[in-house]
Amino acid sequence: MGQEVIRQILPTTIDFKAFWKENGPFAYALASREFPPVLLEPEEWLFSDDLTALLKELMQWQQNKCKIVHAPFKFGKGKKDVLKPGNLVPWRITNFPDAWESAVCASFTPRGYLTESVFLRSVSEKKEDIEQAFFTSLAQDISHIGYCLFKPAPDKGSGQTAYMNDYLREWEEDEQF
């Protein structure tokens, strides 16, 4: 499947299981934990075997023409250096999702400025490495901004597909009421 991401509306566990059986399994699955969902439709899920592709799809990276750019802290016409806020690094995401402007996340601040938690995960200061570090950091933080990310759990069985069993059991129990 590679970098393909599938978006699917799945309102019930029966729908989910039928979709998973017909189209899956997938290494990663993502849904909203909140209602109304942010950057997703109600009952919408994202599936992929590539975590970065999945997170880019959530952020609508291609559609919004997002990219990571070097953003030194400069001010005014003379472009004088300003005092850098404590945990920020001189990189940001252009066309950052407006819906995340008020999100509290260790990986970014409003307006898409990246934080030291991203920088610490990067192997270098090259743009590609910063981008990969951002998505690694975002995957760690995604539950804090209202999403459920399911990924392989080698200690729970197959290490190749998203571990969903506990979530599906709870979902089925909720549907019975």
Side-chain angles (χ1 to χ4, degrees):
M1 184 167 285
Q3 292 190 359
E4 180 183 6
V5 178
I6 298 173
R7 287 179 166 267
Q8 188 72 33
I9 305 291
L10 301 168
T12 68
T13 55
I14 292 170
D15 296 327
F16 185 94
K17 287 178 179 181
F19 173 82
W20 188 268
K21 185 176 182 179
E22 186 176 317
N23 298 285
F26 300 93
Y28 303 97
L30 183 134
S32 180
R33 283 189 308 131
E34 300 182 3
F35 192 84
V38 175
L39 300 178
L40 294 171
E41 295 297 320
E43 314 295 345
E44 185 174 28
W45 286 78
L46 299 181
F47 300 94
S48 183
D49 289 328
D50 182 290
L51 182 57
T52 299
L54 182 106
L55 294 171
K56 281 185 172 184
E57 179 65 25
L58 174 65
M59 293 179 69
Q60 301 168 358
W61 193 267
Q62 294 294 90
Q63 301 93 311
N64 293 332
K65 299 179 180 161
C66 296
K67 57 184 173 178
I68 292 187
V69 297
H70 191 70
F73 298 95
K74 305 281 185 181
F75 181 73
K77 289 184 181 182
K79 301 289 183 189
K80 297 179 183 179
D81 288 337
V82 296
L83 186 61
K84 174 182 84 71
N87 71 335
L88 298 185
V89 294
W91 292 90
R92 69 180 293 266
I93 299 171
T94 60
N95 302 317
F96 190 72
D98 291 338
W100 283 359
E101 286 294 318
S102 61
V104 177
C105 183
S107 301
F108 59 81
T109 67
R111 318 257 335 145
Y113 283 93
L114 304 185
T115 66
E116 287 177 343
S117 72
V118 171
F119 202 65
L120 294 172
R121 287 184 167 92
S122 182
V123 296
S124 78
E125 290 191 44
K126 289 187 206 172
K127 179 181 168 184
E128 304 82 38
D129 294 332
I130 297 292
E131 182 174 309
Q132 187 55 52
F134 167 72
F135 286 109
T136 300
S137 185
L138 180 61
Q140 294 286 320
D141 296 336
I142 199 79
S143 66
H144 300 295
I145 57 174
Y147 300 92
C148 294
L149 174 63
F150 300 93
K151 46 191 169 183
D155 60 329
K156 298 280 188 180
S158 172
Q160 303 301 313
T161 63
Y163 181 71
M164 311 254 343
N165 296 350
D166 293 341
Y167 183 83
L168 288 173
R169 271 193 293 277
E170 287 181 35
W171 190 4
E172 286 174 327
E173 288 172 11
D174 289 345
E175 286 180 336
Q176 291 175 359
F177 291 106

